Every structure is written in C-alpha cells, then in structure tokens.
Amino acid sequence: MTITTYNHWKITRDTDGITWLHLDKADTNTNVLSNDVVIELGAIVETLTQTPPKGVVILSDKASGFIAGADIKEFTGYTTKEIALVAVRRAHQVFNRIEDLPCPTVAMISGFCLGGGMELALACKYRVAEDGPKTKLGLPEVKLGIHPGYGGTVRSIRTAGVFAAMDLMLTGRTVDARAAKRMGLVDHAVPLRQLRVAARAMVITPPAKRPLAVWLRLVNYRLLRPWVANILRKKVAARAPQDHYPAPYALIDLWQKYYDDPFLMLDQEAQSIAQLSCGHTAQSLVRVFLLQEQLKALGRSEDFHPHHVHVIGAGVMGGDIAGWCALRGFTVTLQDQKKEALANVIKRTHGLFKKVIKDRLLVTRAMDRLVPDPKGNGLKRADVVIEAIFEDAEVKRTLFKSIEPQIKPQAILATNTSSIPLDELNTVLTKPSRLVGLHFFNPVSKMPLVEIVQSPTTDKTVAQQAAAFTKQIDRLPLPVSSKPGFLVNRILMPYLMEAMLLAEEAVPLASIDAAALKFGMPMGPIELADTVGLDICLHVAENLGKSMNIEVPARLRQMVQAGHLGRKSGRGFYEFKNDKALKPAIPSGYHQPDDMEHRLIFRMLNEAVACWRDTVVESIDHADAGIIFGTGFAPFRGGPFHYIFHMGVKPMLQLLEQLQQRYGARFTPDRGWATLDSKK
Ligand code: NAI
C-alpha cells in the first residue's frame, strides 16, 4: 500500500489498484471544505485524471463525520459577488473533474455529510453510507441564506428527482442513511462494519445506475416545470417571504429556467450563489451561525462531567427541565411538595418522549432515568441541583437554607428564577458564591437558550461549570449579569407592553401581530403574551417596572384579575381553540398606524442598547446572540445590533427621537446610543 500525504488529504493505494482519498482537515476536529482543502483536492484530481486508477473512494479520517459543508467562516470574506465567484468556480471545476473521471468513484459516508460535503458525494458515481444514528445527510444551505452552490442543485435533482431534492434543499432538513437510500441519494446503507467492503465492491463490480422513475423524469419536462415550480413557491411562501429569504426562490427559478441544459444550470447556480452569499440575508444568517458557535464554545472548555441532576419544583418549568435533562441522558430526580405535580410531569414527559424518540425501548430507558423523588433523596447524590419553585424570594431562601447542608460540596446549585437578583437569594447560604442562575425559557424543549446568571458574588468556575452543563444538555449558554430581567425578559417586556398599548388604542390585535411578523418575528407580540401567560407577563412587567421605565397597561391587569391568562386558560387577548389563537379578521379598509412597526421594534432596540451599556452581557455579539436565540428576533437581520449597524446608527437614532417626540419618555434614547457608532 503506497501512501502520499498532503496537508489535509492523504492518499493510499491498495493492492486492487483502488485509490482511497482520506480527508483529515488539519488543526480541527471537523472536516469542512475550506478553500485550501478544495485547492489540494484539485491538485490530487489533476493527477488522477492523468493516470486514472481502478477506482477512487473518498472518505473521512475524522471520528466526527464525513464533511460538514463549506467553511462558513470564509463566507464573511465574500464582500462582493466577484470574490465569492472565484471560490465557487474553483469548487465547480474540481467537482466536475471528479464527475468526469473515467473510473468508478465512491463517497464512503459515515457521520454527517452536509452541504458542500453532500455535493462532493453527489459528484461521485456512487455513495455508500453507514446505517447508524450518527449519519445525517442533507443540503441545509438554505439555513444560511444560500442554496447549494457546488453543483448540488443539478446533481441532487438528477439523482433523487425534483421533489425529494427540493424537499431537502428548501427545508434544509437532514435525513438518515436509510431515508437517503429510499430517496435514491445513496446506493447502499450498511452497518459500519460493512462500509469499506461495500465501497470496495462498488469499484470492483460497479452496478448499473438506476434511472429516475418515469414520472420524476416527466416533471422535469420544460412544459411541466412552471406548474411544479409554482407549487413549490407557494409552499415556501408559507414559511419564508421572498423579501426576507431570497435563496429558496432563486433555487426554484434555477430549476425552472435551466434544467434542460445542465452546463448552463451549473453556470447559473454559481452566479446565483455568488450573488446570494454576499447579500444581507446570507451575511446575517452566517453571523447567526457563528454566534451560535461562539455560545457553544463557552460551554466547551470546562472539565465538568455531571451525571445526576436534581430538580426541585415540578411545575411548568421544573417538570420540563427535568424531562429535558433525562432525554439528554442524565439521571434526574424530581422533587415537589405535591405528589400530583410529580404525577403530572411523568405523564407530560412520556408524551414528549413518545413524540421525539422513535424507538419504544429508548422511550422506556429515558423514562427510567426520570425518578419522582418527593422526599428529595437525590439531593445528596446530585452533581447539579436546579431550583424551580414559586417565584418568591422568601420561599426560595427557606429552601436553599434547608438543602445546602445536604448537597455535595462540589455540586452546582442553580436557580431558575426569572426576576429575583441572586444576591437576594444567596444570603442564607454558608457559601453564597456557589449560587448561579440557570434561566431556562418556556417551552424548554423548543427554546435553545439558557441564561447563565451571575452576580458579583458568583464564583467564576461555578458559572463556567453551569455553561458546560448547559452545552451538555444541548442548549446554548449565554452569560448574563444578575440585573433585573437579565437580557431576554428585559428586551421582551417593553415590546410586549407597547403591543398592549397599541391594543388599548383600539388597533386590531391581528394587525399588531401582523406588523411584527412582517418585520420577521416568529410570532406576533399579542399571541406571544398569551402564550407566555398574562399572569407571568404582569408579574415580570411589575417587577421590571420598579427599575425601568415600564408602563403596565390597565387592560393587562384587568384580564389577569378576570382569570383570562392566555393560551393556558383558553382565553387572553385571543380566544384559543385546540390550542390555536382565533384571530378576528382585520376590518376591511382598516389603515394601520404608519409607525406601528417602529413603535414595536424600537422599544426592543432601545432596550438592547441599554442592556449592552449596562453590561448585562459582555459584548454586542452576546447581545445579538441572546436576543436571536431567546426571542426569535428576525434571524435574517442578524440581531438587533447588526440591524442597527446595517441601517446606520444615526438614522436609527433619529427615528427613535421622532418616536420620543410623539409618544414621550418611554422612547427616550438610552445613553448607550452615543457610543454605539464606534463599536461597529
Ligand atoms: P409553577 O407554579 O408552575 O411550579 C412551581 C412548583 O414548585 C409547584 O409544583 C410547587 O408545588 C413547587 N414548590 C413550591 N415550593 C416548593 C418547595 N418548597 N419544595 C418543593 N416544591 C415546591 O412555577 P413555574 O412557572 O414552573 O416557575 C418556577 C420558577 O421558574 C420560577 O422561579 C419562575 O420565575 C421561573 N421561570 C418561569 C417561567 C415560565 O414561563 N413559567 C420561565 C422561566 C423561569
């Protein structure tokens, strides 16, 4: 066996004359197709073209997977279409040459095979994939505001047919090896132990390629494409408006216009992705991706390996936190003063597990990890103790005082409080520095962010361990200081209150929600308030009102007094039927206030600036990340600060001042605006 080594690639030739191309990208755990990886591959393919071997197998030497995609960090350098086009055309050239090799070529896939990695696999004649839980295949570029750009648009449709390929490319979802086999994306899905044998067999006795089914070839026909394309556009429009997310529409256009001529389609794919990748949406979504990586990295460094979590309080939050930790593999004991609360959580969690885990045995195993513990026996064994009882400082203090002597000295002691400063809670502890906030959001299974709340007293190592634990349960840790509302609630409350003031001015509720959706929020503020619970909104608003300029609308108080608490009581601002808000239609001819969107959004932006100035978060990046992952703030805008910088600090400040003149003190620009310009 001969071996040639490059910086990122290694070539071995076996006695059958098969060339094995191993990718092991230098200085990283994950293979990505950075420009230098592609350039090296180009040089290798050049020599293979000159002296073709019996066959080529492309594989990864990383335990983490095959290839995760292009190097997303390089996208931030694509400031013009021309710069992006150089990198895209290079990859096209290399992948086209792989496709043209006269010998069998096989991608041997184990673990993730995504984006550019999938496109490289599609340039091979055959693909074999490990049939295992780690294998994930997909073309998720749309999540970054682009579409496949290394020949993947043409090759995926040719290989799997337009419906399966578009489904992957338009939703960005990933599939396992078996599903990929059913779609025709891979030729074999085999257990790991047979993977090499399967790849080798493809080279030694290459099977004939099965053509696409007749009906799938038919829909690619020129006269039918506009019809199918319109169906696809309608589906996309329901999720992603074209103004905000141009990539899926560009992808559908490509297929509709150019599918007859693969060379032209490849060329147009390159033009389109180069254009998209330097656009505002893609640059913002790339920023969101990199922010997410930044938060993940905060939980990576700490050498902390907990096994047992003890949760006290089996209510809305404690129950969900306990279930989530059990789902993520931890042993969890759950304590509550009421046995019915524990029984409720067990029932609710079983429902959740059945939804998210396909295998029944695994559901049983996960349920076995969640142990009702009315007496709190788990306290002394736990590595992480999370308190999620009533939001009452005295009740919480009494609890902390009684449990501190029972818990292990090195265990984390955390509170899920959403509004009480840690320094008001840790006074009863013999070691106050051990108390940290782990502020989860509701619903825990859907909200990716956890605020790691620290007071000046909190031990830095404890905070780091809390971040590490958060990462281990697959959530994003965001360090925040223990100031009223922390980051997310402090941003959200003024926005929700402004929406309620608009409602008091008789603006139709659906119109208020529609304005926020148009801006790009995932849910309107009125429906969000109903979903969070109006009692909770009132509680948080009153709490924050003590330290902030928050006017609590009278209607909110009245509704809470009347027991109209929102989704959970079946009635709030909206009526709810089958858990869906029944939104009364906006009266025809109604003209909404011109400044409604500004009123809603500027309350959030101004508070974001205040949080940053007030060092609730340590950087603008953390503020943007927290607000995107904690509130769903329009991701294609890259976060409130990215949005302000994109629009220009001065013109944005002027708009805010106009609102202040019209509506008074609640729009007074925070003094942080004055120094913002220099922070770009
Ligand atoms: P909840 O009222 O649904 O549940 C509280 C549970 O704690 C009840 O089952 C109660 O029986 C139990 N409990 C009270 N005192 C106890 C004690 N001494 N020992 C054992 N069990 C006790 O409350 P929820 O909404 O789950 O809130 C819990 C905490 O989470 C609060 O601090 C709240 O501010 C915070 N939070 C709430 C959010 C929400 O959306 N509900 C979001 C984020 C944080």
Side-chain angles (χ1 to χ4, degrees):
M1 181 175 282
T2 48
I3 300 180
T4 320
T5 309
Y6 289 75
N7 196 18
H8 304 295
W9 295 87
K10 187 176 80 183
I11 306 179
T12 57
R13 268 181 213 97
D14 66 16
T15 44
D16 292 324
I18 302 174
T19 293
W20 298 75
L21 288 187
H22 306 243
L23 177 57
D24 187 3
K25 187 172 181 336
D27 306 321
T28 169
N29 296 328
T30 308
N31 278 336
V32 289
L33 292 177
S34 56
N35 284 324
D36 49 347
V37 167
V38 175
I39 290 169
E40 257 186 36
L41 179 62
I44 295 167
V45 174
E46 175 70 43
T47 61
L48 294 175
T49 308
Q50 281 162 15
T51 39
K54 180 161 176 77
V56 175
V57 179
I58 302 180
L59 68 160
S60 158
D61 275 0
K62 301 273 192 215
S64 56
F66 182 65
I67 300 171
D71 186 347
I72 292 167
K73 279 195 220 95
E74 289 178 347
F75 276 66
T76 51
Y78 297 163
T79 46
T80 64
K81 180 177 174 186
E82 289 64 38
I83 297 176
L85 205 50
V86 173
V88 174
R89 287 231 188 279
R90 182 192 302 121
H92 267 236
Q93 235 175 27
V94 175
F95 286 21
N96 289 348
R97 296 193 84 167
I98 291 176
E99 187 173 57
D100 292 343
L101 283 172
C103 58
T105 46
V106 184
M108 188 179 115
I109 300 157
S110 165
F112 47 71
C113 170
L114 302 172
M118 186 73 225
E119 295 183 84
L120 173 59
L122 283 164
C124 296
K125 293 192 181 70
Y126 304 101
R127 286 153 292 283
V128 293
E130 180 198 339
D131 180 13
K134 271 172 53 192
T135 301
K136 297 259 175 295
L137 303 103
L139 293 161
E141 286 89 342
V142 76
K143 293 186 175 168
L144 293 174
I146 53 175
H147 52 62
Y150 293 171
T153 60
V154 181
R155 294 190 180 107
S156 65
I157 297 174
R158 197 172 60 199
T159 309
V162 67
F163 294 112
M166 283 290 187
D167 172 41
L168 286 188
M169 290 190 282
L170 293 175
T171 63
R173 77 186 179 98
T174 58
V175 291
D176 61 19
R178 278 185 210 187
K181 165 90 171 63
R182 280 197 299 276
M183 294 167 127
L185 271 184
V186 304
D187 301 274
H188 284 307
V190 296
L192 183 60
R193 61 180 189 284
Q194 292 168 3
L195 198 57
R196 269 178 177 271
V197 178
R200 181 185 295 271
M202 294 301 226
V203 174
I204 308 276
T205 42
K209 292 298 285 182
R210 261 194 306 153
L212 274 184
V214 176
W215 73 277
L216 280 176
R217 276 181 280 157
L218 210 62
V219 284
N220 279 330
Y221 183 55
R222 191 164 44 92
L223 292 177
L224 284 181
R225 288 205 302 268
W227 177 69
V228 177
N230 274 340
I231 297 176
L232 294 173
R233 278 189 200 101
K234 272 196 193 131
K235 268 187 151 178
V236 172
R239 284 194 314 265
Q242 187 163 8
D243 289 353
H244 299 164
Y245 295 99
Y249 300 89
L251 169 63
I252 299 169
D253 284 353
L254 269 179
W255 172 71
Q256 182 182 341
K257 287 191 195 151
Y258 306 111
Y259 193 74
D260 289 327
D261 182 343
F263 293 105
L264 185 57
M265 185 165 162
L266 281 174
D267 179 65
Q268 291 297 317
E269 178 201 80
Q271 298 281 351
S272 170
I273 190 182
Q275 178 75 47
L276 287 167
S277 59
C278 59
H280 182 61
T281 297
Q283 288 292 326
S284 297
L285 292 175
V286 164
R287 172 174 167 74
V288 174
F289 175 85
L290 296 175
L291 289 174
Q292 182 173 342
E293 293 300 297
Q294 252 192 58
L295 295 193
K296 280 187 192 164
L298 293 174
R300 224 168 257 151
S301 58
E302 187 55 43
D303 190 19
F304 178 63
H305 304 288
H307 300 286
H308 183 153
V309 181
H310 184 81
V311 181
I312 311 176
V316 177
M317 294 306 289
D320 281 8
I321 295 168
W324 183 257
C325 293
L327 183 68
R328 291 286 149 234
F330 286 84
T331 300
V332 182
T333 39
L334 176 62
Q335 179 182 352
D336 199 288
Q337 58 194 9
K338 288 201 211 123
K339 285 211 173 123
E340 320 83 84
L342 293 171
N344 265 338
V345 172
I346 297 297
K347 203 168 142 208
R348 192 166 93 215
T349 309
H350 193 233
L352 169 75
F353 286 3
K354 278 204 299 198
K355 254 195 223 156
V356 297
I357 311 177
K358 285 183 201 142
D359 188 331
R360 273 200 186 174
L361 183 68
L362 295 181
V363 172
T364 312
R365 283 205 193 136
M367 285 308 294
D368 286 349
R369 289 195 290 269
L370 177 61
V371 185
D373 180 15
K375 296 208 174 101
N377 293 326
L379 262 177
K380 49 187 175 299
R381 282 195 298 276
D383 308 300
V384 178
V385 176
I386 304 174
E387 169 278 310
I389 64 170
F390 301 136
E391 188 71 345
D392 178 315
E394 197 44 52
V395 178
K396 284 189 197 279
R397 274 194 293 266
T398 311
L399 177 82
F400 285 137
K401 199 169 178 188
S402 70
I403 63 173
E404 193 191 19
Q406 300 178 59
I407 61 181
K408 292 197 278 196
Q410 68 278 24
I412 290 188
L413 178 57
T415 170
N416 186 44
T417 178
S418 43
S419 62
I420 308 172
L422 295 193
D423 285 348
E424 280 182 28
L425 297 176
N426 61 21
T427 48
V428 292
L429 297 174
T430 52
K431 209 174 141 209
S433 63
R434 72 183 307 184
L435 187 71
V436 66
L438 275 174
H439 186 221
F440 288 81
F441 295 90
N442 188 11
V444 175
S445 61
K446 295 223 172 89
M447 299 297 290
L449 193 79
V450 175
E451 289 178 323
I452 311 295
V453 187
Q454 303 167 60
S455 78
T457 321
T458 312
D459 185 325
K460 294 277 165 295
T461 310
V462 172
Q464 273 164 18
Q465 288 174 335
F469 167 69
T470 302
K471 166 78 180 30
Q472 287 160 21
I473 56 167
D474 210 11
R475 288 287 167 260
L476 299 171
L478 177 80
V480 294
S481 57
S482 177
K483 295 185 178 169
F486 315 135
L487 176 72
V488 173
N489 283 346
R490 179 162 163 187
I491 301 288
L492 270 182
M493 273 312 134
Y495 161 71
L496 296 186
M497 294 304 125
E498 194 62 32
M500 292 180 201
L501 289 174
L502 280 160
E504 286 192 347
E505 292 164 27
V507 177
L509 301 178
S511 168
I512 303 171
D513 276 351
L517 293 177
K518 187 163 159 278
F519 178 79
M521 299 304 287
M523 183 186 271
I526 298 290
E527 189 175 348
L528 180 63
D530 271 348
T531 304
V532 169
L534 298 184
D535 51 339
I536 291 179
C537 285
L538 179 62
H539 186 73
V540 177
E542 277 176 341
N543 247 307
L544 285 181
K546 289 177 205 150
S547 53
M548 281 166 62
N549 188 6
I550 284 201
E551 211 177 301
V552 180
R555 188 160 160 195
L556 177 61
R557 280 187 216 286
Q558 287 155 8
M559 280 199 290
V560 174
Q561 267 163 16
H564 302 318
L565 306 182
R567 192 180 288 274
K568 61 186 166 191
S569 71
R571 185 166 163 199
F573 283 95
Y574 293 119
E575 298 270 351
F576 285 80
K577 199 164 181 195
N578 298 330
D579 210 32
K580 268 197 91 158
L582 304 176
K583 298 193 176 185
I586 302 170
S588 67
Y590 173 77
H591 182 73
Q592 69 176 45
D594 292 335
D595 60 2
M596 179 154 70
E597 180 183 305
H598 280 164
R599 279 180 63 179
L600 292 169
I601 302 307
F602 271 89
R603 290 292 302 268
M604 253 197 286
L605 298 181
N606 198 27
E607 207 52 52
V609 173
C611 282
W612 164 69
R613 193 252 316 140
D614 199 11
T615 60
V616 172
V617 279
E618 62 193 43
S619 66
I620 280 177
D621 275 3
H622 280 196
D624 271 352
I627 295 167
I628 293 167
F629 297 116
T631 72
F633 185 94
F636 65 91
R637 299 191 192 272
F641 285 92
H642 192 67
Y643 175 54
I644 293 172
F645 294 141
H646 177 68
M647 302 299 286
V649 175
K650 275 209 185 92
M652 292 296 267
L653 182 56
Q654 277 164 6
L655 285 172
L656 182 58
E657 284 163 349
Q658 283 167 16
L659 291 170
Q660 182 195 10
Q661 279 157 20
R662 238 173 279 159
Y663 300 103
R666 66 182 192 275
F667 285 101
T668 304
D670 183 84
R671 58 180 202 280
W673 285 88
T675 47
L676 205 52
D677 221 356
S678 60
K679 297 290 167 190
K680 260 190 272 186

